[in-house]
Amino acid sequence: SSREQLDDILMATTLRLLLIDGNRGFAERAMQAAAQTDAGLLYTFAEAALHWYDAARLARPLHVLPGADGTFAAEGLRRYLEQRGISVLYPAQIHAIRGGATRDENRVVSLPTSSGKTLIAEFRIAAGLSRHPGSRALYVAPYRMLARQVERTFRGGLAPLGITVKDLGSGFDPSFRPDESGLPDVSICTPERLDALLRLSSADSAAGAEADALFASASVVVFDELQLVGRPGRGPRLELVLARMRAKYPQMLFLGLSAASQGADDGSRWLTGGEAIAGATRPTGTLEILWETDGTLRQRVDPRPTTVGRLPRSRALDDAASLLLRLDSRYWPALAVETSRQSAESLAQKVTQLS
């Protein structure tokens, strides 16, 4: 009918003006007209669009960051946020920022996977280097691949501020040779590389002086995957490196990034003396299915797991490879997590053989 067509036009116009022009007035008038003509669908749509628009506006970086950290009120950082091109922040990110993650404080952020912890670290580095001209930042990533990913992200994200970023490598290599441009503003490395540089900083040599300057000028050290500290394997080494850094360079401030796991508050109290910033929910949905050794498939949901099917099992390696290849292409790319590099390489070879 013509009435339905008119309502459709009004709904489309309401959405267009909100998205493109940020015009709330038309939506409000559409709600008034809908109330007068008993157009329930139009009223509900316009009201929902207004609620969405207001929530998105309050979640914009230019609204959240200056309100939580006055450093971002500076013109240079406001331009950086505009050029960064981020429309809205996740609730978890807003929670962490308002909790002090970007301020000159020792903080641990414990949030679920895919909650945007790396962006929080970028904001902390941008704010810290702006507050302390001439200072530097260190980012410690536990895995080589993660270090490379962070380097790419930071190089693009921090470029508007003219901040230089460099991956210092991995492994226990005592050499340290900054290029002709000198030390970068943001250095990224693995814990093993950090350990080597920390030892080198005590050496009476040109390289030792460069390493010492790197640590002495660091206004913040970001330690990713902090939940690994205290766990078997690399945990004791990570803890020892952090303890030595804190003892030798007491002026350092730390931002720990941790998955939302048990023991996050214990790690935070050890590193910062306070509780971790936690409690936010994951922004993306997850479907967890446990494939038990008897072949039962159980979906992990509250209040109790639910059996959803059965799939015969044989050897763990063959099962993992078969499951990856069974996935519908809509769910690619898929990520398989193994407990060791050897197991990961064996799984990759098996998938290659079967595909």
Side-chain angles (χ1 to χ4, degrees), residues 97-308:
I97 291 167
R98 289 176 176 167
T102 66
R103 298 195 288 265
D104 280 345
E105 302 172 3
N106 287 313
R107 304 295 308 194
V108 170
V109 176
S110 176
L111 298 177
T113 302
S114 301
S115 296
K117 292 189 289 292
T118 304
L119 181 61
I120 295 172
E122 180 184 319
F123 289 153
R124 171 64 181 266
I125 290 171
L129 298 191
S130 296
R131 279 190 293 263
H132 308 285
S135 66
R136 297 183 176 87
L138 276 167
Y139 191 106
V140 185
Y143 309 113
R144 191 77 187 93
M145 185 176 295
L146 179 58
R148 291 171 178 166
Q149 177 185 337
V150 171
E151 181 188 27
R152 289 193 298 270
T153 301
F154 281 4
R155 277 189 172 176
L158 295 171
L161 292 173
I163 292 175
T164 57
V165 181
K166 184 179 180 182
D167 182 359
L168 299 183
S170 62
F172 195 81
D173 180 2
S175 65
F176 185 52
R177 306 180 188 87
D179 55 32
E180 294 181 356
S181 61
L183 293 170
D185 298 317
V186 181
S187 298
I188 303 170
C189 64
T190 63
E192 288 75 19
R193 182 62 169 152
L194 181 68
D195 189 6
L197 293 174
L198 190 58
R199 294 172 186 269
L200 181 63
S201 66
S202 299
D204 186 15
S205 64
E210 290 280 9
D212 180 65
L214 174 65
F215 290 114
S217 61
S219 60
V220 62
V221 176
V222 179
F223 202 98
D224 206 348
E225 303 294 344
L226 187 66
Q227 74 274 7
L228 297 176
V229 174
R231 293 186 179 179
R234 301 168 78 197
R237 170 176 284 183
L238 305 184
E239 183 176 353
L240 181 59
V241 170
L242 281 171
R244 286 164 47 212
M245 286 181 64
R246 296 172 68 190
K248 186 172 182 180
Y249 301 98
Q251 83 286 353
M252 276 186 176
L253 293 175
F254 289 86
L255 174 65
L257 305 179
S258 172
S261 61
Q262 187 176 6
D265 280 335
D266 292 336
S268 179
R269 283 190 289 268
W270 172 74
L271 184 63
T272 71
E275 303 292 322
I277 302 174
T281 57
R282 180 177 177 143
T284 55
T286 58
L287 176 64
E288 296 185 29
I289 296 180
L290 179 65
W291 192 9
E292 298 183 343
T293 54
D294 64 357
T296 303
L297 295 170
R298 295 185 185 275
Q299 184 176 351
R300 300 174 65 177
V301 294
D302 292 330
R304 61 179 61 88
T306 302
T307 300
V308 295

